[in-house]
């Protein structure tokens, strides 16, 4: 079973926080619980953990940009993509926002590109 985890930027400090997400759309209230502390976050910055880690054991979240190292006929090809949730699963999108492949079907290694 995969870990259910979210991240978002704190409205107060602009720092990323990780935890469990709760929202109330009627009062425009979006919180991430970190242990027993609740932090109000900017809704546009929310993203869900995919359940996958990159080659450096970094957790991959929705909206992350990744660098893929793919072996094509003995030659390494590098390309970048954005992680998104489309069609019921996490996938990689090209620059035009079109799905390339499922995140779980990447033929090679990949790593998260820091923001």
């Amino acid at each position: 079973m995969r870990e259910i985890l979210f991240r978002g930027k704190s409205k107060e400090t602009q720092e990323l926080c990780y935890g469990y997400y709760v929202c109330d759309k009627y009062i425009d209230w979006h919180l991430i619980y970190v242990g027993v502390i609740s932090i109000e976050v900017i809704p546009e910055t929310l993203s869900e953990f995919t359940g996958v880690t990159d080659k450096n054991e970094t957790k991959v979240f929705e909206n992350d940009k990744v660098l893929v190292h793919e072996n094509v006929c003995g030659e390494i090809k590098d390309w970048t993509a954005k992680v998104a949730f489309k069609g019921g699963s996490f996938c990689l999108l090209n620059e035009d926002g079109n799905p390339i492949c499922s995140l779980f079907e990447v033929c090679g290694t990949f790593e998260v590109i820091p923001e």
Side-chain angles (χ1 to χ4, degrees):
M1 181 185 313
R2 79 177 174 89
E3 178 182 15
I4 306 297
L5 182 66
F6 288 84
R7 74 171 179 203
K9 281 190 178 179
S10 164
K11 274 191 170 181
E12 187 176 316
T13 66
Q14 301 295 308
E15 291 183 23
L16 282 176
C17 54
Y18 299 81
Y20 300 99
Y21 173 60
V22 177
C23 89
D24 186 331
K25 293 181 182 179
Y26 296 109
I27 58 173
D28 196 28
W29 178 66
H30 302 269
L31 300 176
I32 286 186
Y33 281 89
V34 181
V36 295
I37 299 169
S38 63
I39 300 169
E40 189 171 4
V41 295
I42 304 165
E44 297 80 26
T45 66
L46 281 168
S47 54
E48 185 175 357
F49 175 48
T50 62
V52 174
T53 56
D54 72 0
K55 72 176 196 170
N56 302 315
E57 298 300 316
T58 301
K59 291 181 178 180
V60 179
F61 283 80
E62 182 180 14
N63 298 319
D64 277 346
K65 190 171 182 183
V66 294
L67 175 63
V68 179
H69 310 286
E70 191 170 35
N71 187 338
V72 179
C73 299
E75 188 177 335
I76 301 296
K77 304 274 185 179
D78 289 343
W79 48 278
T80 59
K82 183 178 176 182
V83 178
F85 189 80
K86 284 200 174 201
S89 69
F90 289 103
C91 62
L92 297 179
L93 304 179
N94 63 17
E95 287 129 14
D96 298 326
N98 297 316
I100 300 168
C101 65
S102 167
L103 180 61
F104 306 102
E105 296 174 338
V106 174
C107 298
T109 61
F110 60 91
E111 58 188 303
V112 174
I113 300 171
E115 292 181 23

